Amino acid sequence: MSVAVLTGIAFVLVLGVTVGAARPRRSSGVSDFYVASRAVPPWWNGAAITSEYTSAAACLGTAGLIAMHGSPMLWYPAGAAAGFVVVLALVVAPLRRSGTYTLPDFAEWRLRSVRLRRFTTCFVLVIGLVFLVAQLHAAGVVVRLLTGLPPWLGWAAVAVAALGVAFAGGLGSVTSVQASQFWLKLAVFVGVGVACWWTVGTRPVALLEVAYRAGSAGLAGAGDPSLAGVLAVLLASALGTMGLPHVIVRVYTDRDGRGARRSIVATQVLLAAFCVVPPLYGVLGRVHVRGAAADEIVLLLPARMLPGVLGDVLTGLLAAGAFAAFLATTAGVLVAVGGAVSACVSRAGVRPFRTAVAGVLVAALVLTAVTIPGVSVALVLLGFSLSAATFCPLLVLGIWWRRLTDVGVAAGFALGGGVTGALVLAEQAGVKMGALTSCPAPVAVPLSFAVMVVTSLVTPGRLPRGVGRMMVRMHVPEHRVGPSAYRSSRRDDRWS
Amino acid sequence: MSAGRRVVVRRRPPALGRSSGLSGPRERLPDVPAIVGLQLRRALRTVAAVAGLLLGLPVLAAWVPEPWAWVALSVAVHGAWVCLAVLQLRCAERLER
């Protein structure tokens, strides 16, 4: 089995680096590194977004949770996909028209505060690191489980490949890798799943328990099979999507607001195509793989169902698909977070960008080394919860409400992020306060919204100048403001 | 057609309304509060539909003790997201035309 697995992993990594390295021959400027020259077509961008969104948690973790905890977990992918409809309705076109590049960039532009930019960059860094650690741990699990080699080889393989792609051409290279590997991942996971299903017929579905029940929750409420626990996770997923730095940065790679909207619709269609994967593997895993950890169930399935050469080959294919997922998400997060950090501490440029990317990756590797691998869904859900309690209120209020102030945003971030962190730590320390607190979003998100609104109302003196012009820029389509103000990429845009 | 004397233009004339960074006096300014209001109403309708489906389906499923129904519902809801996304896209583009 080891030969098939190592061959599959090597094929995906070499393919990724080759595709990523091919792009700089066409363009290699600062704009290409930060925003892929703002020229990615919607369907290509949609494939890239879907690729980085279907990370370790979507490919391995969710199916594992369905196998372990039963049908209540079937709703998790639905919540994650719903987030894009919310992004489409509330955020995407105005955010693209703002002409900013990252979430901290938007915070500085909208609230006229450099200090707020630095503050929000810290949250981008934390959310990004959480996602990176989840991918690296999952890579370690694949290598240890299927080949017997030490897990750090898996971390190192993903880290080196992602670094190579990011260094080669920034977001331009990463986009090419993500979009091309999405189709590989889709074909592998659906193909292997259907092959396994074909051998057993439709019987396994009958063994799926269909009931909510009391149960213990993991980190950030992951795996809680109660109705309240499931609804809390769905809320975090649906609202947290809009604040994920690696997802939002893709909005800026479109030509204009119209293109950004179409990219999100393309993402929705491609996510719908991928949505059969978690239930397919979850149902099969519940019957055929007992006693394994959540992230291991999908990987062990082909060998348990089809012992022999065919099982080994299918396992090798799954390992390749899993590494395609890790590479796509790791490279996307690295570029998004590296871009935000480098733009915060220095001027835009290829060298600061590469330095920041390398620094973020080293931090992620250190964190991975000092933590133990858990369920990838739990870490990803922690990122979603943090994002929902901080960037979601900033974006929604910043885009639709004129009276938002920098003090209000800072207070909302501090309280929303603080409450999320405190509830997660309390849960981990054994303080049980029920489903609504084990997944902090239902408490932290309304609190953050309320604090931002109230604090903004009591600090009217902090209202930035030119809010009216900002609202025009965000909400009036490019063709209606006339050629003199047409700014699909604005004049003072540093990135293009 | 007038037969005025032709002159060489040595420098590009400044664009209208350049100083304000937005539309100049000769360009018709759109009614921004009205546009924002329309966009927001449309967006909130979509978000309400998402919230209804997202919170309603898991609750409704509790009364259907059929494994197939749960699997089918959890997959079919993705179709609903696609429909809502396409509908939102069309409405948003029509509003901005």
Side-chain angles (χ1 to χ4, degrees):
Chain A
M1 186 194 290
S2 300
V3 176
V5 169
L6 290 174
T7 307
I9 292 172
F11 171 74
V12 162
L13 295 180
V14 170
L15 180 74
V17 174
T18 308
V19 170
R23 190 178 169 89
R25 290 177 196 160
R26 298 198 294 274
S27 59
S28 57
V30 172
S31 164
D32 197 48
F33 268 77
Y34 282 85
V35 286
S37 301
R38 295 198 195 276
V40 182
W43 274 101
W44 197 241
N45 207 12
I49 297 172
T50 315
S51 190
E52 67 187 354
Y53 202 64
T54 47
S55 62
C59 294
L60 306 181
T62 313
L65 286 183
I66 293 171
M68 287 176 77
H69 301 288
S71 54
M73 304 296 112
L74 285 168
W75 302 112
Y76 280 18
F84 282 101
V85 190
V86 180
V87 170
L88 177 69
L90 290 173
V91 170
V92 67
L95 194 61
R96 173 62 190 90
R97 288 185 188 128
S98 73
T100 53
Y101 164 58
T102 59
L103 289 168
D105 214 13
F106 174 78
E108 182 189 354
W109 171 77
R110 176 62 181 82
L111 284 314
R112 299 272 190 241
S113 168
V114 178
R115 274 191 290 186
L116 187 65
R117 179 201 190 107
R118 291 186 191 131
F119 188 50
T120 52
T121 301
C122 299
F123 285 84
V124 166
L125 188 60
V126 171
I127 294 170
L129 284 174
V130 165
F131 270 82
L132 287 174
V133 171
Q135 308 312 310
L136 295 175
H137 268 315
V141 166
V142 173
V143 168
R144 177 186 54 76
L145 187 71
L146 300 181
T147 68
L149 294 168
W152 64 264
L153 282 173
W155 317 341
V158 172
V160 169
L163 197 67
V165 173
F167 271 26
L171 196 55
S173 291
V174 171
T175 303
S176 304
V177 173
Q178 288 171 334
S180 56
Q181 291 204 340
F182 169 72
W183 302 106
L184 173 85
K185 192 165 54 178
L186 184 68
V188 162
F189 275 97
V190 174
V192 174
V194 169
C196 292
W197 187 269
W198 189 263
T199 60
V200 293
T202 56
R203 279 170 290 129
V205 177
L207 298 171
L208 197 66
E209 293 167 26
V210 280
Y212 298 107
R213 60 193 178 281
S216 60
L219 183 70
D224 185 348
S226 69
L227 179 59
V230 169
L231 294 180
V233 167
L234 294 186
L235 182 75
S237 309
L239 296 181
T241 303
M242 72 173 72
L244 300 181
H246 54 294
V247 170
I248 282 302
V249 76
R250 304 224 61 91
V251 169
Y252 302 107
T253 63
D254 287 295
R255 285 182 199 283
D256 50 21
R258 187 170 175 270
R261 277 202 190 104
R262 285 167 182 260
S263 291
I264 299 297
V265 173
T267 304
Q268 205 78 61
V269 173
L270 296 174
L271 268 181
F274 198 83
C275 74
V276 294
V277 169
L280 185 62
Y281 285 89
V283 167
L284 289 171
R286 188 162 183 83
V287 180
H288 295 280
V289 185
R290 297 268 178 184
D295 283 355
E296 298 175 355
I297 288 173
V298 173
L299 300 164
L300 293 174
L301 192 65
R304 293 275 172 94
M305 291 182 71
L306 304 160
V309 178
L310 182 59
D312 290 351
V313 171
L314 293 181
T315 305
L317 285 173
L318 275 187
F323 264 74
F326 308 150
L327 179 59
T329 307
T330 304
V333 175
L334 262 185
V335 168
V337 178
V341 171
S342 71
C344 183
V345 298
S346 68
R347 290 188 62 215
V350 175
R351 184 173 291 179
F353 173 83
R354 284 177 170 157
T355 309
V357 163
V360 171
L361 186 60
V362 168
L365 283 167
V366 170
L367 279 175
T368 309
V370 299
T371 52
I372 50 168
V375 184
S376 56
V377 176
L379 274 176
V380 167
L381 197 53
L382 178 61
F384 272 103
S385 302
L386 259 178
S387 158
T390 52
F391 287 109
C392 170
L394 164 67
L395 287 170
V396 173
L397 295 175
I399 287 171
W400 298 102
W401 192 49
R402 302 165 68 99
R403 297 170 72 180
L404 189 67
T405 64
D406 57 344
V407 180
V409 172
F413 263 66
L415 208 68
V419 166
T420 302
L423 289 177
V424 167
L425 287 176
E427 180 76 17
Q428 291 300 298
V431 183
K432 303 291 179 192
M433 293 180 284
L436 289 179
T437 49
S438 63
C439 178
V443 177
V445 175
L447 200 63
S448 181
F449 266 103
V451 168
M452 276 194 200
V453 169
V454 172
T455 313
S456 295
L457 287 176
V458 299
T459 53
R462 302 289 303 177
L463 205 64
R465 281 186 296 173
V467 179
R469 282 195 293 170
M470 293 176 195
M471 298 305 269
V472 173
R473 174 170 283 181
M474 288 190 288
H475 292 284
V476 180
E478 291 85 347
H479 64 273
R480 288 189 63 179
V481 290
S484 65
Y486 182 83
R487 29 75 201 116
S488 174
S489 296
R490 64 182 214 258
R491 271 202 315 278
D492 57 343
D493 187 352
R494 291 181 287 162
W495 313 106
S496 55
Chain B
M1 198 171 171
S2 65
R5 190 182 164 200
R6 290 186 177 184
V7 290
V8 176
V9 178
R10 295 188 186 281
R11 215 170 49 178
R12 188 180 174 185
L16 287 175
R18 198 73 183 250
S19 58
S20 67
L22 279 174
S23 303
R26 297 189 191 180
E27 284 172 4
R28 260 191 340 154
L29 271 174
D31 184 359
V32 179
I35 289 177
V36 172
L38 280 173
Q39 288 173 338
L40 187 58
R41 270 196 292 279
R42 177 63 243 177
L44 288 180
R45 227 177 288 167
T46 304
V47 172
V50 171
L53 275 173
L54 195 64
L55 303 180
L57 273 182
V59 175
L60 278 179
W63 278 279
V64 189
E66 274 296 321
W68 270 111
W70 281 59
V71 174
L73 273 177
S74 69
V75 173
V77 76
H78 289 268
W81 302 149
V82 173
C83 292
L84 278 173
V86 172
L87 214 63
Q88 168 67 27
L89 174 76
R90 284 188 178 173
C91 290
E93 290 190 346
R94 199 183 310 138
L95 276 178
E96 293 179 353
R97 226 170 268 155

